[in-house]
Amino acid sequence: MSQKFSERALSEIATSLPAAMAVFRRHNLDYCFAGNVSLADAATSHGLDLAGIETELAALASAPQQPPEDTEPLIDRILARFHEVHRRELQMLQALAEAVEKVHAGRPDVPVGLAAFLKRLTAELDSHMQKEEQILFPMMRAGRHPMIGGPIGMMRREHVEHGRQVAELTALTGGFVPPEDACGTWHALYTGLRKLADDLIEHIHTENSFLFPRFGA
Ligand SMILES: [Fe+2]
Ligand SMILES: [Fe+2]
C-alpha cells in the first residue's frame, strides 16, 4: 500500500497490519468502534505526535509479516487468547472490585457500582462467548453454512453493546487512573481492567475484521 499511514483509517491500518493494534492501544486510539477516522485526524484530536506514530508503524510494516492464519487455528487462538483469558481475569477482577468498594466505602473517588457492573459484564460476555463456542464456531469449522449470516449478525450487534460497556467501564474508573494515594489492590484492579478493556477490543476487532468477513459477512 503506497498511501501514507496518516491518510489511512485506523481500522484499515489495524486490519492490514495487526501489529499496529498494540501501537494504537498504547496511545489510547480506538481502532475498533470509532476506527473510521484517519490517523492524522485521530492524532490531532488526541494531541499526539503523528510523525512519531508513523515511524513506529513504518518499522512494523518493514518487518517480516506473518501469513494470514487459516480459519481453524484462528478460532483456536481466539478461544485460548481471549475467551479463556476474559473468564479467568473477570473472576479475579470482580473480587478485587468488591474489596476496593468495601474497604474504601465513603471515599468520593471510590468506583461505586463497579463490582455489580463487572458481574453483569461477566454474565453477558459469557453468554455471548457460549453462543460462539457452541453454535457459530462449529458452523465455521464445518465450512460454509447457508444460515451463517444470522448468528454472525447477532454477534456483531452484541459486539457493539460490548463496545458501549468498555466505554462505561472507562468512565466508571476515570480512564483506569487510580487516585494518587490508592492502595495496591486499587492499582491492581485498574491495571487489570485496562488490560481487560484492551483485550476485549482486540478480541472484537479480530472477529469482526478477520474471522467474520471470511463467511461473506
Ligand atoms: Fe469471541
Ligand atoms: Fe464475539
CSV table of all heavy atoms in Angstrom, one decimal, residues 132-189:
chain,number,residue,atom,x,y,z
A,132,GLU,N,-20.9,-18.3,20.6
A,132,GLU,CA,-19.8,-18.5,19.6
A,132,GLU,C,-19.2,-19.9,19.7
A,132,GLU,O,-19.0,-20.6,18.7
A,132,GLU,CB,-18.7,-17.5,19.8
A,132,GLU,CG,-19.1,-16.1,19.4
A,132,GLU,CD,-18.1,-15.0,19.7
A,132,GLU,OE1,-17.2,-15.2,20.5
A,132,GLU,OE2,-18.2,-13.9,19.1
A,133,GLU,N,-19.0,-20.4,20.9
A,133,GLU,CA,-18.4,-21.7,21.1
A,133,GLU,C,-19.3,-22.8,20.7
A,133,GLU,O,-18.8,-23.8,20.2
A,133,GLU,CB,-18.0,-21.8,22.6
A,133,GLU,CG,-16.8,-20.9,23.0
A,133,GLU,CD,-16.8,-20.6,24.5
A,133,GLU,OE1,-17.5,-21.3,25.2
A,133,GLU,OE2,-16.0,-19.7,24.9
A,134,GLN,N,-20.6,-22.7,21.0
A,134,GLN,CA,-21.5,-23.8,20.8
A,134,GLN,C,-22.2,-23.8,19.4
A,134,GLN,O,-22.6,-24.8,18.9
A,134,GLN,CB,-22.5,-23.9,21.9
A,134,GLN,CG,-21.8,-24.3,23.2
A,134,GLN,CD,-22.7,-24.1,24.5
A,134,GLN,OE1,-23.9,-23.9,24.3
A,134,GLN,NE2,-22.1,-24.1,25.6
A,135,ILE,N,-22.4,-22.6,18.8
A,135,ILE,CA,-23.2,-22.5,17.6
A,135,ILE,C,-22.3,-22.0,16.4
A,135,ILE,O,-22.1,-22.7,15.4
A,135,ILE,CB,-24.4,-21.6,17.8
A,135,ILE,CG1,-25.3,-22.2,18.9
A,135,ILE,CG2,-25.2,-21.5,16.5
A,135,ILE,CD1,-26.3,-21.2,19.4
A,136,LEU,N,-21.8,-20.8,16.6
A,136,LEU,CA,-21.1,-20.1,15.4
A,136,LEU,C,-19.8,-20.8,15.0
A,136,LEU,O,-19.6,-21.1,13.8
A,136,LEU,CB,-20.9,-18.6,15.7
A,136,LEU,CG,-20.3,-17.9,14.5
A,136,LEU,CD1,-21.2,-18.0,13.2
A,136,LEU,CD2,-20.1,-16.4,14.9
A,137,PHE,N,-18.9,-21.0,16.0
A,137,PHE,CA,-17.6,-21.5,15.6
A,137,PHE,C,-17.7,-23.0,15.1
A,137,PHE,O,-17.0,-23.3,14.1
A,137,PHE,CB,-16.6,-21.5,16.8
A,137,PHE,CG,-16.2,-20.0,17.1
A,137,PHE,CD1,-15.5,-19.8,18.3
A,137,PHE,CD2,-16.6,-19.0,16.3
A,137,PHE,CE1,-15.1,-18.5,18.6
A,137,PHE,CE2,-16.2,-17.7,16.7
A,137,PHE,CZ,-15.5,-17.4,17.8
A,138,PRO,N,-18.6,-23.8,15.6
A,138,PRO,CA,-18.7,-25.2,15.0
A,138,PRO,C,-19.2,-25.1,13.6
A,138,PRO,O,-18.8,-25.8,12.7
A,138,PRO,CB,-19.7,-25.9,15.9
A,138,PRO,CG,-19.5,-25.2,17.2
A,138,PRO,CD,-19.2,-23.8,16.9
A,139,MET,N,-20.1,-24.1,13.3
A,139,MET,CA,-20.6,-23.9,11.9
A,139,MET,C,-19.4,-23.5,11.0
A,139,MET,O,-19.3,-24.0,9.9
A,139,MET,CB,-21.6,-22.8,11.8
A,139,MET,CG,-23.1,-23.1,12.2
A,139,MET,SD,-24.0,-21.6,12.4
A,139,MET,CE,-25.4,-21.9,11.3
A,140,MET,N,-18.6,-22.6,11.5
A,140,MET,CA,-17.4,-22.2,10.7
A,140,MET,C,-16.4,-23.3,10.5
A,140,MET,O,-15.9,-23.4,9.4
A,140,MET,CB,-16.7,-21.0,11.4
A,140,MET,CG,-17.6,-19.8,11.4
A,140,MET,SD,-16.8,-18.4,12.3
A,140,MET,CE,-17.7,-17.0,11.7
A,141,ARG,N,-16.2,-24.1,11.5
A,141,ARG,CA,-15.3,-25.2,11.4
A,141,ARG,C,-15.8,-26.2,10.3
A,141,ARG,O,-15.0,-26.9,9.7
A,141,ARG,CB,-15.1,-25.9,12.7
A,141,ARG,CG,-14.2,-25.1,13.7
A,141,ARG,CD,-14.0,-26.0,15.0
A,141,ARG,NE,-13.6,-25.3,16.2
A,141,ARG,CZ,-12.3,-24.9,16.5
A,141,ARG,NH1,-11.4,-25.2,15.6
A,141,ARG,NH2,-12.1,-24.3,17.6
A,142,ALA,N,-17.1,-26.3,10.2
A,142,ALA,CA,-17.7,-27.3,9.3
A,142,ALA,C,-17.7,-26.8,7.9
A,142,ALA,O,-18.1,-27.5,6.9
A,142,ALA,CB,-19.1,-27.6,9.7
A,143,GLY,N,-17.2,-25.5,7.7
A,143,GLY,CA,-17.2,-24.9,6.3
A,143,GLY,C,-18.4,-24.0,6.2
A,143,GLY,O,-18.9,-23.4,7.2
A,144,ARG,N,-18.8,-23.7,5.0
A,144,ARG,CA,-19.9,-22.8,4.8
A,144,ARG,C,-21.3,-23.3,5.2
A,144,ARG,O,-21.5,-24.5,5.2
A,144,ARG,CB,-20.0,-22.4,3.3
A,144,ARG,CG,-18.7,-21.7,2.9
A,144,ARG,CD,-18.9,-20.8,1.7
A,144,ARG,NE,-17.7,-19.9,1.6
A,144,ARG,CZ,-17.6,-18.8,2.2
A,144,ARG,NH1,-18.6,-18.3,2.9
A,144,ARG,NH2,-16.5,-18.0,2.2
A,145,HIS,N,-22.2,-22.4,5.6
A,145,HIS,CA,-23.5,-22.9,6.1
A,145,HIS,C,-24.5,-21.8,5.6
A,145,HIS,O,-24.2,-20.6,5.8
A,145,HIS,CB,-23.5,-23.0,7.6
A,145,HIS,CG,-24.7,-23.6,8.1
A,145,HIS,ND1,-26.0,-23.0,8.1
A,145,HIS,CD2,-25.0,-24.8,8.7
A,145,HIS,CE1,-26.9,-23.8,8.7
A,145,HIS,NE2,-26.3,-24.9,9.0
A,146,PRO,N,-25.6,-22.2,4.9
A,146,PRO,CA,-26.5,-21.2,4.4
A,146,PRO,C,-27.1,-20.3,5.4
A,146,PRO,O,-27.4,-19.1,5.0
A,146,PRO,CB,-27.6,-22.1,3.7
A,146,PRO,CG,-27.4,-23.4,4.3
A,146,PRO,CD,-26.0,-23.6,4.7
A,147,MET,N,-27.1,-20.7,6.6
A,147,MET,CA,-27.8,-19.8,7.7
A,147,MET,C,-26.8,-19.0,8.5
A,147,MET,O,-27.1,-18.4,9.5
A,147,MET,CB,-28.6,-20.7,8.6
A,147,MET,CG,-29.6,-21.6,7.9
A,147,MET,SD,-30.8,-20.6,7.0
A,147,MET,CE,-31.9,-20.1,8.3
A,148,ILE,N,-25.5,-19.0,8.1
A,148,ILE,CA,-24.4,-18.5,9.0
A,148,ILE,C,-24.5,-17.0,9.2
A,148,ILE,O,-24.1,-16.4,10.2
A,148,ILE,CB,-23.0,-18.9,8.5
A,148,ILE,CG1,-22.0,-18.9,9.7
A,148,ILE,CG2,-22.5,-18.0,7.4
A,148,ILE,CD1,-20.8,-19.7,9.4
A,149,GLY,N,-25.2,-16.3,8.2
A,149,GLY,CA,-25.3,-14.8,8.3
A,149,GLY,C,-26.1,-14.4,9.5
A,149,GLY,O,-25.8,-13.3,10.1
A,150,GLY,N,-27.1,-15.2,9.9
A,150,GLY,CA,-27.9,-14.9,11.1
A,150,GLY,C,-27.1,-14.8,12.4
A,150,GLY,O,-27.0,-13.7,13.0
A,151,PRO,N,-26.4,-15.8,12.8
A,151,PRO,CA,-25.6,-15.7,14.0
A,151,PRO,C,-24.5,-14.7,13.9
A,151,PRO,O,-24.1,-14.1,14.9
A,151,PRO,CB,-25.0,-17.2,14.2
A,151,PRO,CG,-25.4,-17.9,13.0
A,151,PRO,CD,-26.5,-17.2,12.3
A,152,ILE,N,-23.9,-14.5,12.7
A,152,ILE,CA,-22.8,-13.5,12.6
A,152,ILE,C,-23.4,-12.1,12.9
A,152,ILE,O,-22.8,-11.3,13.6
A,152,ILE,CB,-22.1,-13.6,11.2
A,152,ILE,CG1,-21.2,-14.9,11.2
A,152,ILE,CG2,-21.3,-12.4,11.0
A,152,ILE,CD1,-20.5,-15.1,9.8
A,153,GLY,N,-24.6,-11.9,12.3
A,153,GLY,CA,-25.2,-10.6,12.5
A,153,GLY,C,-25.5,-10.3,14.0
A,153,GLY,O,-25.3,-9.2,14.5
A,154,MET,N,-25.9,-11.4,14.7
A,154,MET,CA,-26.2,-11.3,16.1
A,154,MET,C,-25.0,-11.0,16.9
A,154,MET,O,-25.0,-10.1,17.8
A,154,MET,CB,-26.9,-12.6,16.6
A,154,MET,CG,-27.3,-12.5,18.0
A,154,MET,SD,-27.8,-14.2,18.5
A,154,MET,CE,-29.3,-13.8,19.4
A,155,MET,N,-23.9,-11.7,16.6
A,155,MET,CA,-22.6,-11.5,17.3
A,155,MET,C,-22.1,-10.0,17.0
A,155,MET,O,-21.6,-9.4,18.0
A,155,MET,CB,-21.5,-12.5,16.8
A,155,MET,CG,-21.8,-13.9,17.2
A,155,MET,SD,-22.1,-14.2,18.9
A,155,MET,CE,-23.9,-14.3,19.0
A,156,ARG,N,-22.2,-9.5,15.8
A,156,ARG,CA,-21.8,-8.2,15.5
A,156,ARG,C,-22.6,-7.2,16.3
A,156,ARG,O,-22.0,-6.2,16.9
A,156,ARG,CB,-22.0,-7.9,14.0
A,156,ARG,CG,-20.9,-8.4,13.1
A,156,ARG,CD,-21.0,-7.8,11.7
A,156,ARG,NE,-20.1,-8.4,10.8
A,156,ARG,CZ,-18.8,-8.0,10.6
A,156,ARG,NH1,-18.4,-7.0,11.3
A,156,ARG,NH2,-18.0,-8.5,9.7
A,157,ARG,N,-23.9,-7.4,16.5
A,157,ARG,CA,-24.7,-6.5,17.3
A,157,ARG,C,-24.3,-6.5,18.7
A,157,ARG,O,-24.2,-5.5,19.4
A,157,ARG,CB,-26.2,-6.8,17.1
A,157,ARG,CG,-26.8,-6.4,15.8
A,157,ARG,CD,-28.3,-6.5,15.7
A,157,ARG,NE,-28.8,-7.9,15.8
A,157,ARG,CZ,-28.9,-8.7,14.8
A,157,ARG,NH1,-28.5,-8.4,13.6
A,157,ARG,NH2,-29.4,-9.9,15.0
A,158,GLU,N,-24.0,-7.7,19.2
A,158,GLU,CA,-23.6,-7.8,20.6
A,158,GLU,C,-22.2,-7.2,20.8
A,158,GLU,O,-21.9,-6.6,21.9
A,158,GLU,CB,-23.6,-9.3,21.1
A,158,GLU,CG,-25.0,-9.9,21.2
A,158,GLU,CD,-25.1,-11.3,21.7
A,158,GLU,OE1,-24.1,-11.9,22.1
A,158,GLU,OE2,-26.2,-11.8,21.7
A,159,HIS,N,-21.3,-7.2,19.8
A,159,HIS,CA,-20.0,-6.6,19.9
A,159,HIS,C,-20.2,-5.1,20.1
A,159,HIS,O,-19.4,-4.4,20.8
A,159,HIS,CB,-19.2,-6.8,18.7
A,159,HIS,CG,-18.7,-8.2,18.5
A,159,HIS,ND1,-18.1,-8.7,17.4
A,159,HIS,CD2,-18.7,-9.2,19.4
A,159,HIS,CE1,-17.7,-10.0,17.6
A,159,HIS,NE2,-18.1,-10.3,18.8
A,160,VAL,N,-21.2,-4.5,19.4
A,160,VAL,CA,-21.5,-3.0,19.6
A,160,VAL,C,-21.8,-2.8,21.0
A,160,VAL,O,-21.3,-1.8,21.6
A,160,VAL,CB,-22.6,-2.6,18.6
A,160,VAL,CG1,-23.0,-1.1,18.9
A,160,VAL,CG2,-22.1,-2.7,17.2
A,161,GLU,N,-22.6,-3.6,21.6
A,161,GLU,CA,-23.0,-3.5,23.0
A,161,GLU,C,-21.8,-3.6,23.9
A,161,GLU,O,-21.6,-2.8,24.9
A,161,GLU,CB,-24.1,-4.5,23.4
A,161,GLU,CG,-24.5,-4.6,24.9
A,161,GLU,CD,-25.1,-3.3,25.4
A,161,GLU,OE1,-25.4,-2.4,24.6
A,161,GLU,OE2,-25.1,-3.2,26.7
A,162,HIS,N,-20.9,-4.5,23.6
A,162,HIS,CA,-19.7,-4.7,24.4
A,162,HIS,C,-18.8,-3.4,24.3
A,162,HIS,O,-18.2,-3.0,25.3
A,162,HIS,CB,-18.8,-5.9,24.0
A,162,HIS,CG,-19.6,-7.2,24.1
A,162,HIS,ND1,-19.3,-8.3,23.4
A,162,HIS,CD2,-20.7,-7.5,24.9
A,162,HIS,CE1,-20.2,-9.3,23.7
A,162,HIS,NE2,-21.0,-8.8,24.6
A,163,GLY,N,-18.8,-2.8,23.1
A,163,GLY,CA,-18.0,-1.5,23.0
A,163,GLY,C,-18.6,-0.5,23.9
A,163,GLY,O,-17.8,0.3,24.5
A,164,ARG,N,-19.9,-0.4,24.0
A,164,ARG,CA,-20.6,0.6,24.9
A,164,ARG,C,-20.2,0.3,26.3
A,164,ARG,O,-19.9,1.2,27.1
A,164,ARG,CB,-22.1,0.4,24.7
A,164,ARG,CG,-22.9,1.7,25.1
A,164,ARG,CD,-24.4,1.4,25.2
A,164,ARG,NE,-24.7,0.3,26.0
A,164,ARG,CZ,-24.6,0.3,27.3
A,164,ARG,NH1,-24.1,1.3,28.0
A,164,ARG,NH2,-24.9,-0.8,28.0
A,165,GLN,N,-20.1,-1.0,26.7
A,165,GLN,CA,-19.7,-1.4,28.0
A,165,GLN,C,-18.2,-1.0,28.4
A,165,GLN,O,-17.9,-0.6,29.5
A,165,GLN,CB,-20.0,-2.9,28.3
A,165,GLN,CG,-21.5,-3.2,28.4
A,165,GLN,CD,-21.8,-4.6,28.3
A,165,GLN,OE1,-21.2,-5.3,27.4
A,165,GLN,NE2,-22.7,-5.1,29.1
A,166,VAL,N,-17.4,-1.2,27.3
A,166,VAL,CA,-16.0,-0.7,27.6
A,166,VAL,C,-15.9,0.8,27.8
A,166,VAL,O,-15.2,1.2,28.7
A,166,VAL,CB,-15.1,-1.1,26.3
A,166,VAL,CG1,-13.7,-0.4,26.4
A,166,VAL,CG2,-14.9,-2.6,26.2
A,167,ALA,N,-16.8,1.5,27.1
A,167,ALA,CA,-16.8,3.0,27.4
A,167,ALA,C,-17.3,3.3,28.8
A,167,ALA,O,-16.8,4.2,29.5
A,167,ALA,CB,-17.7,3.7,26.3
A,168,GLU,N,-18.3,2.5,29.2
A,168,GLU,CA,-18.9,2.7,30.5
A,168,GLU,C,-17.9,2.4,31.6
A,168,GLU,O,-17.7,3.1,32.6
A,168,GLU,CB,-20.1,1.8,30.7
A,168,GLU,CG,-21.1,2.2,31.8
A,168,GLU,CD,-22.3,1.3,31.9
A,168,GLU,OE1,-22.8,0.8,30.8
A,168,GLU,OE2,-22.8,1.1,33.0
A,169,LEU,N,-17.1,1.3,31.4
A,169,LEU,CA,-16.1,0.9,32.3
A,169,LEU,C,-15.0,1.9,32.4
A,169,LEU,O,-14.5,2.3,33.5
A,169,LEU,CB,-15.5,-0.5,31.8
A,169,LEU,CG,-14.4,-1.1,32.7
A,169,LEU,CD1,-14.9,-1.4,34.1
A,169,LEU,CD2,-13.9,-2.4,32.0
A,170,THR,N,-14.6,2.5,31.2
A,170,THR,CA,-13.6,3.5,31.2
A,170,THR,C,-14.1,4.7,32.0
A,170,THR,O,-13.3,5.3,32.8
A,170,THR,CB,-13.3,3.9,29.7
A,170,THR,OG1,-13.0,2.8,29.0
A,170,THR,CG2,-12.1,4.9,29.7
A,171,ALA,N,-15.4,5.1,31.9
A,171,ALA,CA,-15.9,6.3,32.6
A,171,ALA,C,-15.9,6.0,34.1
A,171,ALA,O,-15.6,6.8,34.9
A,171,ALA,CB,-17.3,6.6,32.1
A,172,LEU,N,-16.4,4.8,34.5
A,172,LEU,CA,-16.5,4.4,35.9
A,172,LEU,C,-15.2,4.5,36.6
A,172,LEU,O,-15.2,4.8,37.8
A,172,LEU,CB,-17.0,3.0,36.0
A,172,LEU,CG,-18.4,2.7,36.5
A,172,LEU,CD1,-18.7,1.2,36.4
A,172,LEU,CD2,-18.6,3.1,37.9
A,173,THR,N,-14.1,4.2,35.9
A,173,THR,CA,-12.8,4.2,36.6
A,173,THR,C,-11.9,5.4,36.3
A,173,THR,O,-10.7,5.4,36.5
A,173,THR,CB,-12.0,3.0,36.1
A,173,THR,OG1,-11.9,3.0,34.6
A,173,THR,CG2,-12.7,1.7,36.5
A,174,GLY,N,-12.6,6.4,35.7
A,174,GLY,CA,-11.8,7.7,35.3
A,174,GLY,C,-10.7,7.3,34.4
A,174,GLY,O,-9.5,7.8,34.6
A,175,GLY,N,-10.9,6.5,33.4
A,175,GLY,CA,-9.8,6.2,32.4
A,175,GLY,C,-8.8,5.2,33.1
A,175,GLY,O,-7.6,5.2,32.6
A,176,PHE,N,-9.2,4.4,34.0
A,176,PHE,CA,-8.3,3.4,34.7
A,176,PHE,C,-7.2,4.1,35.4
A,176,PHE,O,-6.1,3.5,35.6
A,176,PHE,CB,-7.8,2.4,33.7
A,176,PHE,CG,-8.8,1.8,32.8
A,176,PHE,CD1,-9.0,2.2,31.5
A,176,PHE,CD2,-9.7,0.9,33.3
A,176,PHE,CE1,-9.9,1.6,30.7
A,176,PHE,CE2,-10.7,0.3,32.5
A,176,PHE,CZ,-10.8,0.7,31.2
A,177,VAL,N,-7.4,5.3,35.9
A,177,VAL,CA,-6.3,6.0,36.7
A,177,VAL,C,-6.7,6.0,38.1
A,177,VAL,O,-7.7,6.7,38.5
A,177,VAL,CB,-6.1,7.5,36.1
A,177,VAL,CG1,-5.0,8.2,37.0
A,177,VAL,CG2,-5.8,7.5,34.7
A,178,PRO,N,-6.0,5.3,39.0
A,178,PRO,CA,-6.3,5.3,40.4
A,178,PRO,C,-5.9,6.6,41.1
A,178,PRO,O,-5.1,7.3,40.6
A,178,PRO,CB,-5.5,4.1,41.0
A,178,PRO,CG,-4.4,3.9,40.0
A,178,PRO,CD,-4.8,4.4,38.7
A,179,PRO,N,-6.6,6.9,42.2
A,179,PRO,CA,-6.1,8.1,43.0
A,179,PRO,C,-4.7,8.0,43.4
A,179,PRO,O,-4.1,6.9,43.5
A,179,PRO,CB,-7.0,8.1,44.2
A,179,PRO,CG,-8.1,7.1,44.0
A,179,PRO,CD,-7.6,6.2,42.9
A,180,GLU,N,-4.0,9.1,43.6
A,180,GLU,CA,-2.6,9.1,44.0
A,180,GLU,C,-2.3,8.3,45.2
A,180,GLU,O,-1.2,7.6,45.2
A,180,GLU,CB,-2.1,10.6,44.2
A,180,GLU,CG,-1.6,11.2,42.9
A,180,GLU,CD,-1.1,12.6,43.1
A,180,GLU,OE1,-0.7,12.9,44.3
A,180,GLU,OE2,-1.1,13.4,42.2
A,181,ASP,N,-3.2,8.3,46.2
A,181,ASP,CA,-2.9,7.6,47.4
A,181,ASP,C,-3.6,6.2,47.4
A,181,ASP,O,-3.8,5.6,48.5
A,181,ASP,CB,-3.4,8.4,48.6
A,181,ASP,CG,-4.9,8.6,48.5
A,181,ASP,OD1,-5.5,8.5,47.4
A,181,ASP,OD2,-5.5,8.9,49.6
A,182,ALA,N,-4.0,5.7,46.2
A,182,ALA,CA,-4.7,4.4,46.2
A,182,ALA,C,-3.8,3.2,46.7
A,182,ALA,O,-2.5,3.3,46.5
A,182,ALA,CB,-5.1,4.1,44.7
A,183,CYS,N,-4.4,2.2,47.3
A,183,CYS,CA,-3.7,1.1,47.8
A,183,CYS,C,-3.3,0.1,46.6
A,183,CYS,O,-3.7,0.3,45.5
A,183,CYS,CB,-4.6,0.3,48.8
A,183,CYS,SG,-6.1,-0.4,48.0
A,184,GLY,N,-2.5,-0.9,47.0
A,184,GLY,CA,-2.1,-1.8,45.9
A,184,GLY,C,-3.2,-2.5,45.2
A,184,GLY,O,-3.1,-2.8,44.0
A,185,THR,N,-4.2,-2.9,46.0
A,185,THR,CA,-5.4,-3.6,45.4
A,185,THR,C,-6.1,-2.7,44.4
A,185,THR,O,-6.4,-3.2,43.3
A,185,THR,CB,-6.4,-3.9,46.5
A,185,THR,OG1,-5.7,-4.6,47.6
A,185,THR,CG2,-7.5,-4.8,46.0
A,186,TRP,N,-6.2,-1.4,44.7
A,186,TRP,CA,-6.9,-0.5,43.7
A,186,TRP,C,-6.0,-0.4,42.5
A,186,TRP,O,-6.6,-0.4,41.3
A,186,TRP,CB,-7.0,0.9,44.4
A,186,TRP,CG,-8.1,1.8,43.9
A,186,TRP,CD1,-8.6,1.8,42.7
A,186,TRP,CD2,-8.8,2.7,44.7
A,186,TRP,NE1,-9.6,2.8,42.6
A,186,TRP,CE2,-9.7,3.3,43.8
A,186,TRP,CE3,-8.8,3.1,46.0
A,186,TRP,CZ2,-10.6,4.4,44.3
A,186,TRP,CZ3,-9.6,4.2,46.4
A,186,TRP,CH2,-10.5,4.8,45.6
A,187,HIS,N,-4.7,-0.3,42.6
A,187,HIS,CA,-3.8,-0.2,41.4
A,187,HIS,C,-4.0,-1.5,40.6
A,187,HIS,O,-4.1,-1.5,39.4
A,187,HIS,CB,-2.4,-0.1,41.9
A,187,HIS,CG,-2.0,1.4,42.1
A,187,HIS,ND1,-1.6,2.2,41.1
A,187,HIS,CD2,-1.9,2.1,43.3
A,187,HIS,CE1,-1.3,3.4,41.7
A,187,HIS,NE2,-1.5,3.4,43.0
A,188,ALA,N,-4.0,-2.7,41.3
A,188,ALA,CA,-4.0,-3.9,40.6
A,188,ALA,C,-5.4,-4.0,39.8
A,188,ALA,O,-5.4,-4.5,38.7
A,188,ALA,CB,-3.9,-5.1,41.6
A,189,LEU,N,-6.4,-3.6,40.5
A,189,LEU,CA,-7.8,-3.6,39.9
A,189,LEU,C,-7.8,-2.8,38.6
A,189,LEU,O,-8.2,-3.3,37.5
A,189,LEU,CB,-8.8,-3.0,40.9
A,189,LEU,CG,-10.2,-2.8,40.3
A,189,LEU,CD1,-10.8,-4.2,39.9
A,189,LEU,CD2,-11.1,-2.1,41.4
